[in-house]
Amino acid sequence: LNTPFSRSENFTSDTFFEQSKDIIDTDFYMLQTQIDPVVCQHLITALGQYDLVFIVDLFYSTVRFALHSDLAVTGKNVHVIHPNGCMESMRAAGLDKNSLIFFVYDGTSRTLDITPAIASCKKYGCHISIMTCQEHFPHDDLCDDIIVTGKASSAVSSIMIHDLVFQYLSTLYREKFM
């Protein structure tokens, strides 16, 4: 999610845990100062309004599945889609104007299909939300909600930030709709 990494990982067995903790602590503090709770609440309200939800993401974490489960328990039809060929997958699953798409975009070639998909989804009239480490990206003006996480300093903190944001959204959703 949050790449490229701004710090190199030159760990030794003696420094691994201490350096990892310092990197993660710094990145969590950065996330806390960057994430906009108003934008997150807007996304949660939108999730309550749409019955068809697409989550377009590379990771398959158990935390992400917690949000998926929360949505499903409240009657949402949730599809988890890989970024590669995401438009074809969403169309096959019934993408229409009554859909909310939650993209996770890291700005790398792994999520390249997301930016053109934003424009295509907007033509359908979908609600478009995105979690990204970048403040600006192609078609950002077409997004209804942009959750900016900031760039992580390591692969480990990138995954942890990703999971923490999903857990935060899940908590907000449960508080509002369950």
Side-chain angles (χ1 to χ4, degrees):
L1 166 66
N2 301 300
T3 55
F5 307 122
S6 58
R7 288 191 196 169
S8 62
E9 295 178 350
N10 296 319
F11 301 126
T12 67
S13 60
D14 295 331
T15 64
F16 178 81
F17 289 106
E18 188 171 325
Q19 284 184 335
S20 295
K21 180 188 175 307
D22 291 344
I23 289 169
I24 291 166
D25 287 349
T26 300
D27 287 350
F28 279 166
Y29 176 75
M30 179 260 327
L31 173 65
Q32 187 177 0
T33 61
Q34 288 239 279
I35 199 164
D36 185 341
V38 173
V39 173
C40 293
Q41 284 290 351
H42 187 260
L43 169 58
I44 296 307
T45 300
L47 284 168
Q49 297 171 349
Y50 290 86
D51 291 328
L52 184 57
V53 177
F54 294 92
I55 299 173
V56 182
D57 190 8
L58 285 167
F59 296 118
Y60 294 96
S61 69
T62 55
V63 174
R64 204 272 317 281
F65 284 120
L67 176 62
H68 182 172
S69 297
D70 292 342
L71 293 168
V73 163
T74 59
K76 307 298 177 184
N77 184 357
V78 184
H79 297 272
V80 179
I81 306 286
H82 190 276
N84 271 351
C86 60
M87 278 310 298
E88 293 81 19
S89 298
M90 288 189 290
R91 281 189 199 111
L95 178 72
D96 65 15
K97 67 179 174 154
N98 299 311
S99 303
L100 182 144
I101 298 92
F102 184 48
F103 291 108
V104 180
Y105 176 65
D106 68 6
T108 67
S109 61
R110 303 175 310 166
T111 57
L112 213 62
D113 288 353
I114 287 177
T115 55
I118 292 169
S120 296
C121 290
K122 202 54 167 183
K123 288 178 187 171
Y124 277 88
C126 303
H127 184 101
I128 301 169
S129 300
I130 194 160
M131 180 188 352
T132 180
C133 60
Q134 302 178 344
E135 282 192 56
H136 300 289
F137 49 88
H139 306 299
D140 61 357
D141 58 319
L142 300 177
C143 296
D144 297 288
D145 312 295
I146 301 173
I147 298 172
V148 179
T149 61
K151 290 182 175 26
S153 301
S154 75
V156 171
S157 64
S158 176
I159 292 167
M160 294 178 86
I161 286 171
H162 177 268
D163 282 353
L164 188 62
V165 172
F166 268 104
Q167 182 62 42
Y168 179 59
L169 294 173
S170 182
T171 299
L172 293 175
Y173 188 82
R174 274 186 258 123
E175 285 177 354
K176 190 162 187 156
F177 296 108
M178 296 176 84

